[in-house]
Amino acid sequence: MATTTTKTAAKKAADAVTETAAEIETNAREVASETADVMSFSSASAADWAKNAQQQFEAMMSSFTGNFDDMRAQAEDLSETAQARMKAAQDHAAKTNARLMEAAQEEMTNAVQFASDLGKAKTFADALSVQQTYWTKLFETRMAHARELTERSVEAARETMTPVETPFANMKAFEKFFAFPLKA
């Protein structure tokens, strides 16, 4: 009976060793497979990575291409608006310059007339009267020209200096490529 007990005990010990060895081997395979997945760069994972990278690149390029056309159209509109404003400013400047030349000619004509009237004055009182009339008219004329110039300047500023709306700030160029969650 001692031999049977020894054989049974030996068999149990062998079975336990076999079970332990099997468990160790199974654990080693699991660890090896996990390590292989994490540590290795197999051709299957490289293909997936390349496919994902290509999809991301294509999404980025299609986003840029679509938005580039919008941005170009908006830039053209902005350019046309700027050209129209510059043309309006140029027209106002030309009109203002023409009006200033007319005013200078009027003033020169009045100065010549003043000199002529001053030369025709017979008395000192007549000379003072001519001077008073000339200087009053000169002052009133210059004030009228200053008012007119101010009105023209304000009109030109209203037409040419309206704020430029930059639609580029509203472009969603990266929206498809960088999909950020919306704020709630």
Side-chain angles (χ1 to χ4, degrees):
M1 189 159 243
T3 351
T4 312
T5 309
T6 306
K7 284 183 183 181
T8 307
K11 185 170 176 142
K12 285 183 182 178
D15 288 342
V17 169
T18 306
E19 265 184 45
T20 304
E23 286 178 19
I24 290 173
E25 189 176 324
T26 304
N27 287 339
R29 282 188 195 141
E30 288 176 6
V31 168
S33 90
E34 288 176 8
T35 304
D37 288 345
V38 173
M39 301 300 284
S40 72
F41 196 71
S42 67
S43 62
S45 64
D48 290 342
W49 183 84
K51 180 180 165 189
N52 289 338
Q54 182 180 6
Q55 289 173 349
Q56 192 174 21
F57 178 76
E58 288 173 358
M60 178 186 70
M61 291 309 291
S62 68
S63 173
F64 286 151
T65 303
N67 286 320
F68 179 75
D69 293 337
D70 294 340
M71 287 176 21
R72 186 187 62 197
Q74 290 174 353
E76 289 173 356
D77 290 343
L78 186 63
S79 174
E80 289 172 4
T81 302
Q83 286 177 347
R85 289 179 183 183
M86 290 301 290
K87 176 81 169 111
Q90 187 178 17
D91 291 345
H92 281 289
K95 288 177 186 175
T96 301
N97 286 340
R99 183 61 188 118
L100 288 173
M101 288 301 292
E102 289 174 12
Q105 288 173 348
E106 288 173 16
E107 199 168 299
M108 289 302 294
T109 302
N110 290 338
V112 169
Q113 184 64 40
F114 166 67
S116 174
D117 290 346
L118 196 57
K120 293 178 186 175
K122 304 267 186 222
T123 64
F124 183 70
D126 290 342
L128 284 177
S129 175
V130 169
Q131 281 184 339
Q132 180 184 8
T133 304
Y134 171 74
W135 289 110
T136 303
K137 185 176 180 182
L138 179 67
F139 180 74
E140 289 173 353
T141 304
R142 285 192 176 174
M143 287 302 295
H145 289 158
R147 236 180 271 115
E148 181 183 355
L149 183 62
T150 302
E151 290 171 1
R152 285 178 182 261
S153 298
V154 168
E155 180 183 333
R158 281 188 184 137
E159 288 182 22
T160 61
M161 295 183 183
T162 56
V164 177
E165 296 176 8
T166 53
F168 301 110
N170 298 329
M171 292 302 295
K172 307 286 191 230
F174 296 102
E175 185 176 83
K176 292 178 187 173
F177 185 63
F178 299 109
F180 295 111
L182 296 173
K183 292 182 180 179

